[in-house]
Structures are given as C-alpha cells and as structure tokens.
Amino acid sequence: MKKTILTLLIGMVIVLIISGCEKKESKTDNIFNKKFGSYTLPKNWIESKKYSTSNKFFYVLEGQENKKQPNNISINIGTNKYAKENHEKFKTAILNQLTMQIAREERIEVNANGTKTDNGEIVYTFIIKEPKNNTTTAQYYIVGDYKYILIHETVFGESKETDETAKGIVNSFKWK
C-alpha cells in the first residue's frame, strides 16, 4: 500500500514538473490578429499608430513611442514568385538584393541563417550590422506559398528586449 501511494506521488510530481515545463502563452502577452495571420507581443509593447499603415504595423516599447529613434519592430506581408517548396531560391534572391544594397557601404556585416519557427514555418534571418551608426537590423522572413511575412527589427545601440520580442513574434506567428 505504501509503495502504491509513493508511486502515485512520484507520478504526480513528474506530471507537475512536465506540465510546468510546457511552453504556454504568457498571460502578459497581447495577441494581434491581422488579415494575414496572428502573433503575440509582450503587453509592454504597443502598436505605433503614428508609423503604422494599413499594410505595415510598427511596434515600440511603451513609453518610447515619441522618442526620435526608438528601437522598433515592423511587420508586413509581401508576395513573391516562389512556391513554398522553392524557399531556397527565395532566400538567394533576398541575399542578392541585400548584397547589392550594402555593397556601396563600408564595414557593414551581414549574417544569414535559416531555421523553423516554433510553429514549424520556414524562416530566414538576415542580420545587418552598421558600426558607423551603431545600428543593427534583423529581417525575419517567414516563407509562405508565393508570399512571406517580414518581421523587421531595428535596434539603435543594443537591446536584448527588442531581440527577444522580435523572436517571440516570429515563433508565435500563425498564417490565417
């Protein structure tokens, strides 16, 4: 009898530990539903009405919305000529375009990688560092069929919070 109760208690502890480790949507997140899909941001990030349009949505840390150069994240949908299974051609096209744009600049560093979001979507990340003005831009392209979502992060100086927020948007994104 004691062995059964002990086994039961151990099982309950294991279940509690496992369920506590599951990734859950935080009660401190806001869910944004747009025509193209949905994503979450921490509650202390707000949509900037000043800079957002009907096709491109800008987000800033609350209290920074009137700052001259706030760290920010924008999100928009775009179209391309590539089916989802041809995502590598899409990546190459973006990389070629970025290379041409920065070829005129000195000391700009570009890093690129590909992975999947927490929801299984293909995402290509391009990080552009401009030491001259201490700016880092991260472009996250979530690949769809003849379309993409661009999550564009701009950081003036450094900001771990902005990075984590942008990655949170990427990983929470769901197509409509």
Side-chain angles (χ1 to χ4, degrees):
M1 178 78 165
K2 285 183 182 180
K3 219 176 190 183
T4 307
I5 292 173
L6 183 60
T7 305
L8 242 160
L9 285 173
I10 291 171
M12 287 174 58
V13 169
I14 291 171
V15 168
L16 287 173
I17 290 170
I18 291 171
S19 65
C21 293
E22 283 181 28
K23 186 171 182 181
K24 295 179 183 173
E25 190 173 289
S26 169
K27 291 181 182 178
T28 61
D29 289 345
N30 283 322
I31 298 171
F32 289 85
N33 291 299
K34 303 297 182 185
K35 292 177 189 174
F36 50 80
S38 65
Y39 46 90
T40 61
L41 279 97
K43 284 211 185 284
N44 61 339
W45 280 77
I46 59 170
E47 188 173 322
S48 170
K49 303 296 181 196
K50 182 177 181 179
Y51 296 107
S52 294
T53 67
S54 60
N55 297 319
K56 191 172 199 169
F57 306 95
F58 279 86
Y59 299 93
V60 295
L61 191 59
E62 191 170 23
Q64 302 293 310
E65 58 269 24
N66 294 318
K67 195 174 174 184
K68 185 178 179 183
Q69 284 188 314
N71 292 338
N72 64 80
I73 301 167
S74 67
I75 302 171
N76 65 287
I77 188 168
T79 59
N80 62 51
K81 61 182 182 176
Y82 305 101
K84 191 173 184 175
E85 62 266 11
N86 292 326
H87 60 88
E88 288 185 10
K89 288 182 181 180
F90 174 66
K91 173 201 66 171
T92 301
I94 294 168
L95 195 52
N96 288 341
Q97 182 180 10
L98 285 173
T99 302
M100 286 189 330
Q101 288 174 344
I102 65 168
R104 298 177 297 273
E105 300 291 327
E106 288 184 36
R107 297 179 52 215
I108 290 182
E109 180 184 325
V110 177
N111 292 306
N113 70 44
T115 188
K116 289 196 175 186
T117 69
D118 287 354
N119 294 319
E121 300 293 339
I122 296 166
V123 61
Y124 286 107
T125 305
F126 301 90
I127 299 174
I128 303 128
K129 294 186 182 219
E130 299 178 55
K132 188 165 91 175
N133 59 10
N134 198 21
T135 303
T136 302
T137 302
Q139 297 178 355
Y140 302 90
Y141 288 87
I142 298 175
V143 181
D145 217 14
Y146 302 100
K147 62 185 176 183
Y148 62 88
I149 294 298
L150 171 58
I151 293 111
H152 186 112
E153 170 193 2
T154 305
V155 174
F156 302 97
E158 291 190 29
S159 175
K160 186 176 179 181
E161 183 173 21
T162 305
D163 282 346
E164 289 173 0
T165 299
K167 290 172 185 169
I169 293 168
V170 170
N171 282 313
S172 66
F173 181 79
K174 293 179 184 165
W175 291 101
K176 269 215 173 141

